[in-house]
Amino acid sequence: MYIMPNNLGRQYLLHAEEYEKKAVEVLRSGWYILGNEVKSFEAEWAAYVGAKYCVSLASGLDALKISFELLGIGEGDEVIVCGNAYIACVMGITVKGATPVFIEPDQYDNIDADKIEEKITDKTKAILAVHLYGQACDMTKIMTIARKYCLRVVEDCAQSHGNHWQGQKVGTFGDIGCFSFYPSKGCGAFGDAGCVVTKDEALAQKFRIFRNYGSEKRYHNQMIGSNSRLDEIQAGLLRVKLKHLDDFNKERCQIAERYMKEINNPLVRLPQIRPGADSTWHQFVIHCKKRDELQKYLEEHEIGTLIHYPIPPHLSEAYAYLGMKKGDLPITEQYAAEVLSLPMYNGMTSEEQDWVIACINAFQPEV
Ligand SMILES: *Cc1c(COP(=O)(O)O)cnc(C)c1O
């Protein structure tokens, strides 16, 4: 049987009845936008993350875009971000014309905080800390630099639902924490969804106004906003998911622990966890110099894998206007050529894991 890189149906089946009950409840309520489910989910998510305010939005990309817009960061400004970020991170930065300044990743696949300071100019306005693959960046170093240069800090926690830096949940260090609830994320909705968290009450209120056509009072529009609201039905389903999130994360940790212990092939470099961080294993990402061969071999053995991400943002067509070329970010580019995400999902059986581990350990490239 084919093992998928991610299998959302399995996670759904673990609590199918609860989701179905909630969906029917919302459908029958007759109230579908900005109601009690949204209000309750926002309060519950803020409490879970340990943030003061949560404002739900339509997607993770919206969370990023609206953040930079409300922080007033646009044309002529620079924002620091890791080179191996997801493309959406960069699209959030550039929404109003700001320029992304890329920093190479370290061995933990996250931004190398020691390389940030050398890239700061008088145009630098913010750092976007992307907690990639479920692991926190070094928030101590990042916050120290931000304070020194008076920079804003936005955290992209799309892949990091519930993990910590030194015991504190990510999303609560900077000015704004952005989350995506895209179905494959830790606390995934059944469609698109996102939110921001912040400790700044005035800023939270700006997000609430922005997401609803820039109006606080119906038909009184105080700014050019957007329609970026979370649906009641998604909020209700997310409330069900959230109840199980810690258990989901625990299960992923167990799967990761087995991979860590049992994968043993000199061609494979296992993921590394930064001291002070824990991982919720959004992805289990190995590095392999023979990545393309390994991926093909696994596919032939009915094991699906993914690459996060094959083309780094600075080399993507969308950002050709930045004028960057191959060789500008050698570590980022090397990572793009060697990372591989192994199957990792709630409800993965130990037999499925046996097979993945056995195949990886048996892999030998043709010479
Ligand atoms: C998924 C993701 C996003 C975008 O979220 P959407 O809800 O899909 O718009 C942004 N940043 C990172 C790191 C992501 O993984």
Side-chain angles (χ1 to χ4, degrees):
M1 198 187 70
Y2 188 78
I3 300 174
M4 301 204 288
N6 194 359
N7 190 330
L8 297 173
R10 288 278 182 86
Q11 195 200 45
Y12 171 69
L13 286 176
L14 297 173
H15 307 97
E17 262 178 54
E18 287 176 60
Y19 300 123
E20 288 166 17
K21 187 165 162 271
K22 176 58 83 174
V24 169
E25 186 188 318
V26 177
L27 289 173
R28 289 181 180 169
S29 75
W31 194 282
Y32 308 117
I33 296 280
L34 296 183
N36 287 330
E37 296 293 341
V38 162
K39 208 176 279 169
S40 300
F41 175 67
E42 289 177 342
E44 288 160 12
W45 188 257
Y48 178 76
V49 176
K52 228 162 162 186
Y53 305 99
C54 167
V55 181
S56 59
L57 301 164
S59 72
L61 177 57
D62 271 7
L64 292 161
K65 277 183 167 177
I66 301 171
S67 293
F68 286 104
E69 179 155 0
L70 292 182
L71 291 175
I73 294 171
E75 221 175 316
D77 298 330
E78 292 177 356
V79 177
I80 302 262
V81 64
C82 58
N84 61 332
Y86 181 43
I87 195 81
C89 311
V90 186
M91 290 185 178
I93 291 170
T94 57
V95 63
K96 287 275 151 184
T99 303
V101 174
F102 297 108
I103 307 289
E104 295 271 41
D106 56 21
Q107 75 264 37
Y108 308 106
D109 299 315
N110 267 322
I111 191 166
D112 188 340
D114 291 328
K115 293 182 178 159
I116 293 177
E117 264 190 288
E118 64 199 55
K119 293 283 176 126
I120 291 177
T121 69
D122 51 7
K123 292 181 181 159
T124 310
K125 289 290 172 344
I127 300 171
L128 175 59
V130 184
H131 306 297
L132 208 62
Y133 305 150
Q135 194 189 161
C137 304
D138 186 333
M139 289 314 294
T140 307
K141 280 188 186 163
I142 290 172
M143 293 311 294
T144 304
I145 295 166
R147 278 187 208 104
K148 185 170 163 191
Y149 295 92
C150 288
L151 305 177
R152 298 289 202 160
V153 174
V154 178
E155 293 175 72
D156 183 340
C157 314
Q159 304 188 2
S160 281
H161 295 186
N163 54 287
H164 306 80
W165 170 248
Q166 295 184 342
Q168 184 180 335
K169 286 224 174 83
V170 298
T172 57
F173 292 88
D175 297 277
I176 302 169
C178 296
F179 291 86
S180 162
F181 303 114
Y182 180 79
S184 68
K185 308 291 159 101
C187 189
F190 295 80
D192 279 309
C195 81
V196 288
V197 298
T198 180
K199 46 182 142 342
D200 182 335
E201 188 179 0
L203 189 56
Q205 186 58 10
K206 274 193 199 164
F207 277 104
R208 285 186 208 107
I209 292 168
F210 191 98
R211 75 173 170 191
N212 199 25
Y213 309 113
S215 67
E216 195 171 5
K217 194 172 154 205
R218 188 176 276 193
Y219 307 133
H220 290 69
N221 305 82
Q222 49 196 97
M223 61 162 105
I224 302 172
S226 180
N227 173 354
S228 183
R229 300 171 302 219
L230 177 65
D231 299 329
E232 280 286 284
I233 197 161
Q234 296 299 345
L237 294 170
L238 281 167
R239 292 181 68 200
V240 176
K241 267 272 170 90
L242 177 54
K243 277 194 231 148
H244 302 293
L245 180 55
D246 281 337
D247 287 335
F248 289 151
N249 284 342
K250 233 174 263 165
E251 186 187 3
R252 302 172 83 86
C253 284
Q254 283 160 3
I255 294 169
E257 210 172 297
R258 263 203 78 192
Y259 276 150
M260 288 295 233
K261 263 198 215 128
E262 298 179 34
I263 292 175
N264 181 12
N265 183 324
L267 296 165
V268 170
R269 201 203 92 188
L270 290 166
Q272 298 180 38
I273 302 296
R274 189 192 308 277
D278 54 12
S279 183
T280 43
W281 300 103
H282 176 67
Q283 302 294 348
F284 190 93
V285 178
I286 59 169
H287 289 242
C288 178
K289 302 272 184 225
K290 304 272 179 195
R291 193 266 316 274
D292 293 343
E293 278 172 83
L294 174 58
Q295 185 175 39
K296 187 164 160 269
Y297 163 89
L298 291 174
E299 190 64 38
E300 284 162 6
H301 290 79
E302 310 238 300
I303 297 168
T305 55
L306 293 170
I307 297 168
H308 298 97
Y309 300 93
I311 304 170
H314 74 287
L315 299 180
S316 74
E317 207 180 323
Y319 287 104
Y321 73 85
L322 293 173
M324 295 185 73
K325 55 185 189 314
K326 227 177 160 155
D328 285 347
L329 295 169
I331 301 172
T332 296
E333 292 161 25
Q334 183 199 326
Y335 282 16
E338 67 183 30
V339 292
L340 189 68
S341 304
L342 301 186
M344 164 65 80
Y345 48 87
N346 294 108
M348 187 175 190
T349 66
S350 60
E351 290 76 22
E352 286 170 331
Q353 238 199 322
D354 290 342
W355 182 240
V356 176
I357 292 164
C359 288
I360 292 176
N361 289 347
F363 170 68
Q364 272 179 329
E366 287 160 31
V367 275

